[in-house]
Amino acid sequence: MSSRRQSRIQILTSDEIDDLYKLPEFNQSEREEYFGLDDNIQAIVSSMDKLETRIYFILLLGYFRAKPVIPKFHLREVRQDVKYICHAYFAGRKPALIPLAKSTRHKLVNQVISLLGFKILSNEGQGELMCRLRDVATITTDPRYIFDESLAFFSQRRIALPGYTTIQALITEALSDERQRTEQVLSQMISESVESCLLKIMNSRGLLNSLSGYKGSARGITPSELDRELHTHQVIKEIYPELKELIGALKLSRGNLAYYASIVKHRSITKLRRAPKWQGLLYLSCYLYFRYRETNDKLVIAFSSLVKKHNNSAKDYANKKVAEELEVIRTKLKYAGSVLRLFVDSKVEDTTPFGDVRQQAFDLISEQDIQMISHHLDKNDFDRSAYRWEYTDQQSRKISGSLRKLFLALDIECIAGLTLLSQQLSTAKNELKKGKLKHADKRLIKPSDRPSLIQEGQVNLKRFEFYLYSRVVAMLDSDRVYISESEQSQRLKDDLIPEDIWDKDRADLVLKTGLERLITPIHATLDELDSKLNSLRIGV
């Protein structure tokens, strides 16, 4: 466990510190506004003995009105403001520009703060602030953001702004506490196997680089790049369930998770290795958590892209084959008249064997061309579906070499009601891991697709495999199937507030609303009673 760092973290620049704490420099109209005195304050000033004390009190009042900061100054440092106050309230008298006694200044500061409804940061207030800052540190470790939250705390509690170094020390302590908290959770929950794996990834030369993200588009990913993403996916997949559990136990905001992951992404591996052990493992855990989800997204995009690319290629192939058919028909159709005339040719005797007539027809047009023309005349259309599946048959080896690897890598889940598909996906994965699909549920095949996929009562398994991939892609687009451990392909429900938290918040709201409905009539009744009592008093 790393020890707490004592050095204060840098938050503001010198200019920003000056803007916050430097004495305000008033023009004439601002002096009239901030150094203005009502009757109550005039009475307080008049009760003071020394002119210097009165002037210092008014200066403190004006400066604190401008900024809720307890200023430190000597009268000689603010001569123009002193001159204005003397002219406005003391008939131009000239004070002695000497330092005030510490006790006097302390008394005046407390008087001004109390008069304006503020207070000094107490030990109790500091404890409340530290609790808040520790909570904020789980949301973000950005020191400036935490500093702004500190300012909001002081404003809400009407607390005079403490010195910069005080706030700096509190934020440093909050960040140190957060670092120790995360390191403690990590060290207590991580298993030896996952710790060993993370250390291996961190210390093995080139391994972490090999897990870094592919920078290009997933749609244009090459086979070698796809293999690299699959390798990364497989390496992280072995430890991902525990990483996810660790991330949940750490209770970090998404912003902090992304920040810790970015440290691995943008720092050199040497710097990462030099970080304290548990700190380095925390950064690496967050990075691998996001990297796995990123890889899932890329694999989904690649899978969908390849399926759609195959479908487009199959359509192009079918259109080409139809064009070829049409050209043949146009070329051969002129011979159809000669074939038909054989049936009305008076030279052909009725006793002539049909085989002889058919042979004469084949001399004019080949048997294959006659079948093509007759099929076209019967259906008046071309069977594009048959050609598309013919293309799939030709590409079956390529499909198994690319799409199958992606399908096996992705943890595809189905929404409620798709039990048959869920079972088929599980069966297909188990069988394809062993090399070959053996079972296909006919109930998943649409009636319009059955003629192409079911032949003589048996499902064409090679075609069914691609059919299954196409169904998955279509359902990914319609959000009926999803990948939980991803950013882009998860359910909408996974982005929403968890149901248990939602139910609790809703119950709290209902309770609060119910109490307000109960209290409101009571307040109204009390107000009515007060009004009647006041009337009675006036009458008496």
Side-chain angles (χ1 to χ4, degrees):
M1 193 77 63
S2 62
S3 60
R4 179 173 298 184
R5 296 180 181 178
Q6 299 300 319
S7 59
R8 289 189 290 265
I9 192 169
Q10 184 63 38
I11 304 172
L12 303 180
T13 64
S14 298
D15 289 341
E16 289 172 329
I17 295 172
D18 286 344
D19 287 342
L20 198 58
Y21 288 96
K22 189 179 179 181
L23 279 177
E25 296 179 2
F26 295 145
N27 56 35
Q28 185 63 21
S29 62
E30 288 171 336
R31 289 189 181 103
E32 293 174 0
E33 177 186 354
Y34 289 111
F35 293 138
L37 308 179
D38 59 22
D39 293 341
N40 180 43
I41 298 175
Q42 284 274 23
I44 294 172
V45 171
S46 298
S47 68
M48 298 176 181
D49 296 332
K50 293 182 179 181
L51 175 63
E52 291 79 13
T53 305
R54 294 177 180 183
I55 293 173
Y56 202 91
F57 176 82
I58 296 172
L59 288 169
L60 279 173
L61 189 69
Y63 294 150
F64 197 87
R65 282 171 172 170
K67 294 180 182 180
V69 176
I70 300 171
K72 291 182 179 180
F73 60 92
H74 294 297
L75 293 179
R76 64 175 177 270
E77 296 172 345
V78 289
R79 293 175 186 271
Q80 292 300 319
D81 292 337
V82 170
K83 183 178 179 181
Y84 168 80
I85 292 171
C86 289
H87 182 269
Y89 298 111
F90 304 113
R93 293 170 60 188
K94 293 184 178 181
L97 302 181
I98 57 175
L100 259 65
K102 287 185 178 180
S103 59
T104 303
R105 182 183 179 280
H106 181 71
K107 181 180 178 181
L108 292 178
V109 166
N110 287 334
Q111 201 168 2
V112 166
I113 288 176
S114 176
L115 183 65
L116 296 178
F118 278 78
K119 56 188 176 181
I120 303 292
L121 180 64
S122 62
N123 290 335
E124 181 181 355
Q126 187 167 311
E128 291 179 8
L129 175 59
M130 279 305 302
C131 287
R132 181 163 174 173
L133 296 186
R134 288 189 185 102
D135 286 339
V136 174
T138 65
I139 299 171
T140 177
T141 53
D142 179 7
R144 183 56 192 264
Y145 183 96
I146 302 175
F147 185 87
D148 291 341
E149 282 294 315
S150 302
L151 297 184
F153 176 87
F154 298 134
S155 176
Q156 292 162 3
R157 302 291 201 283
R158 293 187 69 79
I159 296 173
L161 189 64
Y164 173 66
T165 56
T166 300
I167 303 176
Q168 199 179 18
L170 291 172
I171 292 174
T172 301
E173 182 180 349
L175 290 172
S176 178
D177 289 345
E178 172 61 11
R179 184 166 53 251
Q180 288 194 347
R181 183 191 71 82
T182 54
E183 290 177 4
Q184 184 176 17
V185 170
L186 199 63
S187 62
Q188 289 177 349
M189 290 195 62
I190 196 167
S191 67
E192 290 184 8
S193 60
V194 170
E195 180 184 343
S196 174
C197 184
L198 291 176
L199 289 172
K200 180 182 177 182
I201 291 172
M202 187 184 295
N203 296 317
S204 296
R205 187 174 182 179
L207 182 54
L208 188 56
N209 280 336
S210 71
L211 300 179
S212 61
Y214 163 66
K215 306 301 181 186
S217 167
R219 289 181 173 84
I221 196 167
T222 64
S224 61
E225 290 160 345
L226 182 60
D227 287 339
R228 177 178 171 179
E229 286 296 300
L230 286 167
H231 169 70
T232 298
H233 185 273
Q234 186 58 41
V235 170
I236 305 175
K237 186 174 185 177
E238 296 176 5
I239 59 173
Y240 181 79
E242 187 170 327
L243 285 182
K244 184 180 178 182
E245 186 178 347
L246 285 171
I247 295 297
L250 288 168
K251 297 181 180 178
L252 297 171
S253 70
R254 186 170 184 82
N256 269 358
L257 288 173
Y259 170 71
Y260 291 146
S262 70
I263 292 174
V264 178
K265 197 169 185 178
H266 300 300
R267 276 190 188 178
S268 69
I269 296 176
T270 303
K271 287 184 179 180
L272 181 64
R273 289 171 182 163
R274 288 176 181 171
K277 174 185 172 183
W278 293 111
Q279 205 171 321
L281 291 182
L282 171 65
Y283 299 156
L284 184 57
S285 296
C286 294
Y287 173 76
L288 294 178
Y289 171 80
F290 279 110
R291 182 70 182 95
Y292 183 78
R293 298 170 74 84
E294 177 190 74
T295 301
N296 264 331
D297 282 331
K298 289 183 176 180
L299 295 182
V300 168
I301 293 172
F303 182 72
S304 298
S305 179
L306 287 174
V307 168
K308 292 173 182 177
K309 183 178 180 181
H310 175 88
N311 281 329
N312 290 334
S313 296
K315 288 177 184 177
D316 292 341
Y317 177 84
N319 289 336
K320 181 181 178 182
K321 295 296 288 186
V322 167
E324 291 175 356
E325 270 193 30
L326 189 59
E327 185 61 30
V328 169
I329 289 170
R330 285 174 178 169
T331 304
K332 301 294 184 179
L333 197 59
K334 61 184 179 181
Y335 297 110
S338 299
V339 173
L340 291 174
R341 276 196 294 274
L342 292 174
F343 291 91
V344 295
D345 190 349
S346 58
K347 295 179 180 179
V348 179
E349 301 290 339
D350 290 339
T351 57
T352 303
F354 181 71
D356 294 342
V357 177
R358 183 166 60 178
Q359 187 57 51
Q360 292 182 50
F362 290 163
D363 290 340
L364 297 170
I365 310 177
S366 69
E367 180 180 0
Q368 182 179 357
D369 291 342
I370 290 177
Q371 288 178 348
M372 184 188 303
I373 294 170
S374 62
H375 179 77
H376 175 64
L377 293 174
D378 285 342
K379 294 194 173 182
N380 198 28
D381 200 359
F382 299 95
D383 193 351
R384 284 182 168 81
S385 177
Y387 283 133
R388 287 199 295 269
W389 283 110
E390 180 181 302
Y391 178 81
T392 300
D393 292 339
Q394 295 172 4
Q395 300 294 318
S396 60
R397 180 172 294 182
K398 187 176 180 180
I399 290 171
S400 63
S402 56
L403 287 174
R404 185 181 294 178
K405 291 188 292 187
L406 291 167
F407 173 72
L408 292 176
L410 294 170
D411 295 321
I412 302 167
E413 300 176 63
C414 304
I415 62 171
L418 296 179
T419 307
L420 287 178
L421 178 61
S422 180
Q423 291 173 348
Q424 179 62 68
L425 291 174
S426 178
T427 299
K429 278 199 170 190
N430 291 332
E431 292 178 349
L432 289 173
K433 284 177 183 177
K434 298 175 182 178
K436 188 177 181 181
L437 182 65
K438 296 180 179 178
H439 298 89
D441 194 327
K442 296 178 182 179
R443 292 172 292 181
L444 291 172
I445 303 175
K446 295 178 181 179
S448 58
D449 296 322
R450 286 175 174 265
S452 301
L453 291 167
I454 302 176
Q455 298 157 348
E456 297 180 359
Q458 297 296 318
V459 177
N460 185 319
L461 294 175
K462 287 185 178 179
R463 291 186 176 185
F464 183 82
E465 181 181 350
F466 181 76
Y467 183 76
L468 187 63
Y469 300 158
S470 295
R471 291 290 300 274
V472 166
V473 169
M475 289 184 175
L476 277 169
D477 290 340
S478 62
D479 296 324
R480 299 179 70 193
V481 302
Y482 58 93
I483 314 294
S484 291
E485 305 309 325
S486 72
E487 300 298 325
Q488 301 174 12
S489 303
Q490 60 183 349
R491 294 171 298 179
L492 173 63
K493 179 181 178 182
D494 294 331
D495 282 330
L496 302 178
I497 298 172
E499 290 184 5
D500 54 340
I501 296 177
W502 171 256
D503 290 340
K504 182 180 181 300
D505 290 346
R506 185 171 57 179
D508 291 343
L509 180 62
V510 170
L511 178 61
K512 180 180 178 183
T513 306
L515 287 173
E516 287 176 349
R517 289 176 181 171
L518 178 64
I519 292 170
T520 300
I522 294 174
H523 280 305
T525 304
L526 290 173
D527 290 342
E528 186 179 351
L529 288 172
D530 282 340
S531 178
K532 288 180 179 179
L533 285 171
N534 287 331
S535 299
L536 288 171
R537 291 191 187 100
I538 292 170
V540 173

